[in-house]
């Protein structure tokens, strides 16, 4: 996921699988990555990224039932999450 905030700067992005927190990636960004291992498609899943800035504002994007980019290969959430958190609302 890519996230940026020019005003207060970025703090972290949380990655969720079916509304269960899987990873928190901290830092100024703009690129945040979480690896979803062993997903080959065919399951009903939702992947969500929620980005937080240092002021406490946040924005989320989700993808429902993604198609794997490469069948049988390890999938990165940055590839599966085609939607991008671009700007945290002020």
């Amino acid at each position: 996921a890519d996230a940026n905030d020019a005003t207060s700067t970025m703090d972290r992005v949380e990655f969720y699988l079916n509304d269960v927190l899987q990873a928190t990636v901290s830092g100024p960004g703009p690129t945040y990555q979480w690896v979803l291992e062993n997903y080959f498609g065919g399951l009903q899943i939702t992947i969500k990224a929620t980005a937080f800035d240092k002021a406490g504002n946040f924005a989320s994007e989700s993808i429902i039932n993604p198609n794997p980019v490469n069948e049988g290969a390890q999938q990165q959430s940055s590839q599966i999450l085609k939607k991008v958190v671009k700007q945290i609302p002020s």
Side-chain angles (χ1 to χ4, degrees), residues 20-33:
V20 177
L21 180 64
Q22 301 296 305
T24 300
V25 182
S26 299
T31 301
Y32 299 86
Q33 185 172 321

Side-chain angles (χ1 to χ4, degrees), residues 57-74:
N57 300 306
F58 64 92
S60 296
E61 288 288 348
S62 296
I63 201 120
I64 299 169
N65 299 327
N67 292 319
V69 176
N70 297 314
E71 289 287 336
Q74 184 180 61

Side-chain angles (χ1 to χ4, degrees), residues 64-86:
I64 299 169
N65 299 327
N67 292 319
V69 176
N70 297 314
E71 289 287 336
Q74 184 180 61
Q75 301 303 307
Q76 295 181 359
S77 61
S78 58
Q79 292 172 321
I80 292 173
L81 264 173
K82 295 174 185 165
K83 295 181 181 181
V84 175
V85 179
K86 293 193 177 189

Side-chain angles (χ1 to χ4, degrees), residues 7-80:
T7 307
S8 61
T9 68
M10 292 302 303
D11 182 48
R12 69 189 184 281
V13 172
E14 296 177 348
F15 291 95
Y16 294 83
L17 177 61
N18 294 337
D19 292 322
V20 177
L21 180 64
Q22 301 296 305
T24 300
V25 182
S26 299
T31 301
Y32 299 86
Q33 185 172 321
W34 163 65
V35 177
L36 172 62
E37 296 183 29
N38 301 321
Y39 177 68
F40 304 109
L43 299 175
Q44 302 253 353
I45 67 170
T46 300
I47 297 172
K48 178 173 76 171
T50 301
F52 296 85
D53 67 11
K54 290 190 177 185
N57 300 306
F58 64 92
S60 296
E61 288 288 348
S62 296
I63 201 120
I64 299 169
N65 299 327
N67 292 319
V69 176
N70 297 314
E71 289 287 336
Q74 184 180 61
Q75 301 303 307
Q76 295 181 359
S77 61
S78 58
Q79 292 172 321
I80 292 173

